[in-house]
Structures are given as C-alpha cells and as structure tokens.
Amino acid sequence: MRINLIFILFYLIVGCSPKVDLALDIENLKKEGTTILQNKHLGNKQNILKISKLITYPIKINTNWTYPNYNSQNLPLHSAFEAAFSINKKKNYFENVTNNYYQKIVLKINNNIVFIDDYSNLIILNDSLELIKKFKIHKDRYYKNYPLKFSLVSDGKNLFVADNLGSIFAYELNNYKEIWRNDLEVPFLSNLSLFKNSIFVSNSNGKIYSFDIFTGKPNWSYETGTQTAKSHKAYKLSIIEDKLLFSNDFGTIACVDLTLKKIIWSSALQSSSIYNDSNLLELADFVAENKAVYIASNLGKFIKVDLSSGSILWSNDAVSTTAPIVNRDTVALVEDNGFFNVYAKDTGKVLYKKNILNSLRSQKIEIENIKVNNFFLASGSFYITTQDGYVFSVNSTDLQSVQHKKIAEKINSNIAFSKKNIFFIANKSEIIKSQ
C-alpha cells in the first residue's frame, strides 16, 4: 500500500542513467507550476519533564568503527569521550564540490581512517591523520561535476563501496587493491550491510541486491517499486541477526528472513496528523535491539516494531530523520525541530521533552534553518551535532543541563569513534580528530 504523497508535473526521469541528480530544485519546480507544500513540523511543542535523569548502558571503548553507525543494527556503543571538543589535528587532503549535498562517511578500520572525497578519491590516513594512500576510483569523465554519494562498510579485512553512479567495489585493506567491481548503472542509494558472505544494497529503482563478497556476483535481487521523484534518505537497510530490514521511497518497510530466503512481512508507514504535506519521504536509520526495531521519519511517527511479525508495539508523534539511541529502560530521540525526547522503552510513554535549540535562541542566534545531522552517546552525555557546526550536550544524570559549542563552520559527515577520540569531516575540506 502506498503512502499518499502527491507529486504534480514532476518531469524527473530516474533509474535509466547513473547521472541522475536526485535532489529537487524546489524553486524551479514552483516556477514550472508544481505545487510544493512545506512541512510545518507541527505537533506538541510543550516541554514534558516527568524525569530528570536516565540510566544508560555502561561505557565501552572500541577501536574500530566499520559502519557509519558502528554496526548493521545502528546500535553504537556508549563510547568514552571526554567531550572537550578540542581539535587535536586537522588536515586537508581532499577536494570538495560545493554543490554536493550528500553527507560523507568516515570509517575507522585497524588504526586507519578511511573516507572518499567529492572527486572519488579514496583516502586512507593513519591515526595521526598522516596520508597513507590516495587514489581515484572513478575517472573524471564518468561524473564531471555530478555530486557523488558513496556508501562504505568494512568487515575488518576488506572495504566495500557503493555509489550513485551504480557501481559497487571491494578493496583489500592491507594494500587497497581492487578485488572486484560491478557496474550496474542504476544509482545505489542505500547504506551497505553485511551478512555472512553477502553484502546488501538497494538502488533508485527500489531494487535490493545481495552480492557475493568474494566475487561481486549477484546472489539475488528483489524489486519493490519506486516513485518518480525521490529522496535518497528513503532507502535504508539493516541486518538484525538473520533478518534483513529494508525500505523504499513509497514508505514500505519489508523484512527478509535470510535463512529461509523469503519475505516474512511488509508494512507501509503511516503519516500522522502533524504531517500535512507532500514532501519526499526521509527515514532515519533503523535501530534494532532485542528483536525490536525503532523507526523514525519525517512522516511524523516514531514507532517500535516487532521484528518477527512487523506489528507496531507502540507509536508516538515525532518528526525525526536522525537515528534514536536505545538505553537500558528508555529510548532517546532528537526531532528535526530541536526537541530532545525520552520515551519509556516498553510503553513508548513520553517521559521528557525539551527543545535544546532554545539555548541558541536566547543568544539571538537564528535557528530556523539549523539541521541536526548526528546524535550519539558518550561518557554519560547525549550529543547532537548540526550541519552548521554546532554541538549540543545533554547530561544523562541531569537532563536540564544543556550546553552548546560552535566547533566548525560545517559538519558534513558521520561521527566515527575510536578509543577516546572522534573523527569527522568539517568545513567542506578538513578531516578532524577531536577529543
């Protein structure tokens, strides 16, 4: 069943060529007569302060960060981080295309930092940000000024890359030689996920693929359908035990039993009363724990779903495209409008709700266009970063304690943890190591 997303006179043809710009130029569409209704982000804007603290899982120190959100369940550790946000080192090894709106991915693998710049240069640094290797994975003529999107993941031995030119690659980590590549010409838009000897990804046609990690040959594929106009943020996948969860831009969530090799359930996301427009669907990364999946989106519903059946265990109004954080008894979520929410894990009851952006408003800083892009837990505090370089902290033992700091002009990657340091890309062209 489709969600009612109304698109009038969209003359965007996708799926036939890798060189398809999947962003919509809203102003040009308006001039052509297309009706675009803007999301009001309505809903309950009142503070809810039923708790003053919450219990997190214990702190653990990790050395590798092989997925954008640590693992295929998007369930990162409660990391150790001193949170001074002092910049240890920053280096500029790569070029940046100013019109590239895709968030980059940084991985930390076996003491190396790995990422790809806007010109398809694969860059490998050591822990001190010294250059180890840099090489192009695409020739210039294949993309020119086309904004590139790369998805990265590693199994600790090999690095896997998929992109919106329709290519998927594998490289050896000990020498970064190409093992295999497969060019299918239809843009890959989802993240990558690994299970046993297979790697999974979906493309702009809503087609999900399983590839052999040793040869790159397709094991199987399944097409779910797609809209004409689409957002790359609608394509998500996650693997929990032997279950593959994936989505398309219709808002259909499906679960595949990888052992039985069949779809065991599928369900269409429903929009809430606070969602009153025809914006393109955007989903947060799926977060899974104990056979339950937490799903947030810009449709205005935050839900907990039973992994085995697809039944909704609880639902609450919230507009968020950032993955939630699961704690011992609670789930924390940051909404796109700046509200930091805490829910009871078993019932979904709202225990806490407060807008963290108010600390900027009190200083007369414009907040209308501030966009949250990372949410993580470290050393007992929740941290929220924004695209324009702010970081907010909320103390788990005193939720009323909210602080903020401007650490960059722009943050445009995930946050990768290693030991007591974090790594991210900022200011268009810098890789930063912070503690």
Side-chain angles (χ1 to χ4, degrees):
M1 180 176 66
R2 296 187 182 184
I3 296 175
N4 283 328
L5 300 177
I6 303 170
F7 301 98
I8 304 172
L9 300 177
F10 276 61
Y11 293 100
L12 300 176
I13 306 301
V14 297
C16 298
S17 166
K19 295 184 179 180
V20 176
D21 189 347
L22 295 172
L24 291 175
D25 187 332
I26 299 298
E27 292 306 315
N28 284 341
L29 287 172
K30 286 179 178 178
K31 292 176 183 178
E32 293 170 5
T34 302
T35 300
I36 303 291
L37 301 177
Q38 297 302 312
N39 195 328
K40 308 296 185 188
H41 283 189
L42 302 176
N44 183 7
K45 296 183 179 181
Q46 300 299 316
N47 289 342
I48 299 174
L49 309 174
K50 295 181 179 179
I51 59 172
S52 60
K53 61 182 179 179
L54 58 83
I55 301 174
T56 64
Y57 286 123
I59 296 172
K60 293 184 179 180
I61 297 177
N62 66 290
T63 55
N64 282 342
W65 198 270
T66 56
Y67 280 76
N69 286 327
Y70 183 66
N71 57 23
S72 66
Q73 298 171 241
N74 299 307
L75 194 67
L77 299 174
H78 179 181
S79 301
F81 181 56
E82 298 304 322
F85 281 100
S86 59
I87 307 301
N88 285 5
K89 290 188 177 182
K90 58 183 179 180
K91 292 290 181 75
N92 187 338
Y93 286 112
F94 63 99
E95 300 175 75
N96 182 272
V97 178
T98 57
N99 67 346
N100 194 335
Y101 42 82
Y102 295 116
Q103 180 167 295
K104 296 176 180 63
I105 293 174
V106 178
L107 301 183
K108 183 70 161 52
I109 314 166
N110 303 332
N111 297 318
N112 292 338
I113 299 97
V114 180
F115 57 94
I116 301 176
D117 73 8
D118 290 341
Y119 289 89
S120 81
N121 292 304
L122 178 58
I123 298 170
I124 303 96
L125 311 176
N126 64 19
D127 194 67
S128 299
L129 303 190
E130 300 299 326
L131 184 65
I132 296 174
K133 195 173 183 66
K134 175 179 177 179
F135 61 92
K136 273 186 173 292
I137 63 176
H138 285 299
K139 294 181 179 179
D140 292 352
R141 68 175 182 270
Y142 290 123
Y143 63 89
K144 294 185 179 178
N145 292 324
Y146 176 68
L148 298 175
K149 177 186 182 297
F150 294 97
S151 298
L152 286 73
V153 74
S154 175
D155 60 1
K157 297 179 180 179
N158 301 308
L159 174 70
F160 301 93
V161 180
D163 61 39
N164 61 340
L165 297 179
S167 300
I168 183 167
F169 315 79
Y171 297 95
E172 293 182 17
L173 285 177
N174 60 346
N175 55 23
Y176 286 92
K177 289 185 178 180
E178 185 179 288
I179 304 171
W180 54 260
R181 69 180 293 161
N182 202 331
D183 299 304
L184 298 184
E185 297 188 343
V186 179
F188 289 114
L189 297 185
S190 77
N191 57 302
L192 293 164
S193 203
L194 297 161
F195 178 73
K196 294 184 177 178
N197 295 328
S198 299
I199 185 165
F200 299 87
V201 66
S202 60
N203 69 15
S204 62
N205 287 342
K207 191 172 187 177
I208 186 165
Y209 285 89
S210 168
F211 295 98
D212 185 282
I213 64 170
F214 301 111
T215 66
K217 294 180 179 180
N219 297 319
W220 53 263
S221 63
Y222 177 77
E223 192 154 356
T224 64
T226 184
Q227 300 274 10
T228 300
K230 61 192 69 186
S231 166
H232 68 281
K233 294 183 179 180
Y235 300 87
K236 303 290 183 179
L237 59 85
S238 182
I239 294 177
I240 308 100
E241 298 177 351
D242 63 344
K243 305 295 190 299
L244 169 65
L245 200 68
F246 66 93
S247 64
N248 64 12
D249 59 337
F250 286 149
T252 300
I253 311 292
C255 184
V256 177
D257 188 310
L258 295 174
T259 301
L260 300 177
K261 297 181 179 179
K262 69 175 185 179
I263 294 179
I264 56 175
W265 60 264
S266 66
S267 180
L269 292 176
Q270 300 298 314
S271 58
S272 77
S273 59
I274 68 173
Y275 181 87
N276 64 347
D277 67 57
S278 57
N279 281 358
L280 300 182
L281 173 65
E282 294 185 9
L283 287 166
D285 292 324
F286 305 136
V287 176
E289 185 201 45
N290 296 333
K291 300 186 184 303
V293 182
Y294 299 88
I295 301 173
S297 73
N298 65 344
L299 291 178
K301 285 292 185 182
F302 177 41
I303 60 175
K304 180 180 180 180
V305 176
D306 183 274
L307 179 63
S308 300
S309 65
S311 60
I312 295 176
L313 302 176
W314 53 253
S315 174
N316 244 306
D317 286 346
V319 175
S320 177
T321 52
T322 307
I325 294 174
V326 180
N327 307 297
R328 196 186 72 175
D329 304 310
T330 59
V331 183
L333 180 77
V334 58
E335 293 195 65
D336 290 354
N337 60 7
F339 273 92
F340 174 79
N341 302 344
V342 179
Y343 305 86
K345 187 192 289 187
D346 55 348
T347 65
K349 181 180 179 180
V350 181
L351 303 175
Y352 189 89
K353 185 181 183 79
K354 183 177 181 180
N355 196 318
I356 60 168
L357 298 185
N358 285 338
S359 59
L360 294 182
R361 186 182 286 112
S362 64
Q363 297 178 15
K364 299 182 179 180
I365 297 174
E366 180 63 44
I367 67 171
E368 292 302 319
N369 296 319
I370 288 180
K371 173 66 175 175
V372 172
N373 61 358
N374 289 292
F375 184 37
F376 58 93
L377 174 64
S379 296
S381 289
F382 296 93
Y383 293 92
I384 301 101
T385 69
T386 68
Q387 288 181 349
D388 49 356
Y390 285 101
V391 60
F392 297 83
S393 67
V394 180
N395 192 325
S396 64
T397 61
D398 180 10
L399 297 177
Q400 292 279 51
S401 175
V402 179
Q403 299 179 346
H404 73 268
K405 183 178 182 179
K406 180 83 168 179
I407 61 171
E409 290 302 314
K410 184 178 181 181
I411 297 174
N412 53 352
S413 77
N414 66 309
I415 306 293
F417 279 85
S418 178
K419 298 178 181 177
K420 294 185 178 182
N421 296 299
I422 63 172
F423 301 85
F424 60 95
I425 293 172
N427 304 333
K428 298 183 180 179
S429 59
E430 293 176 328
I431 177 74
I432 291 179
K433 178 180 181 180
S434 178
Q435 68 176 17

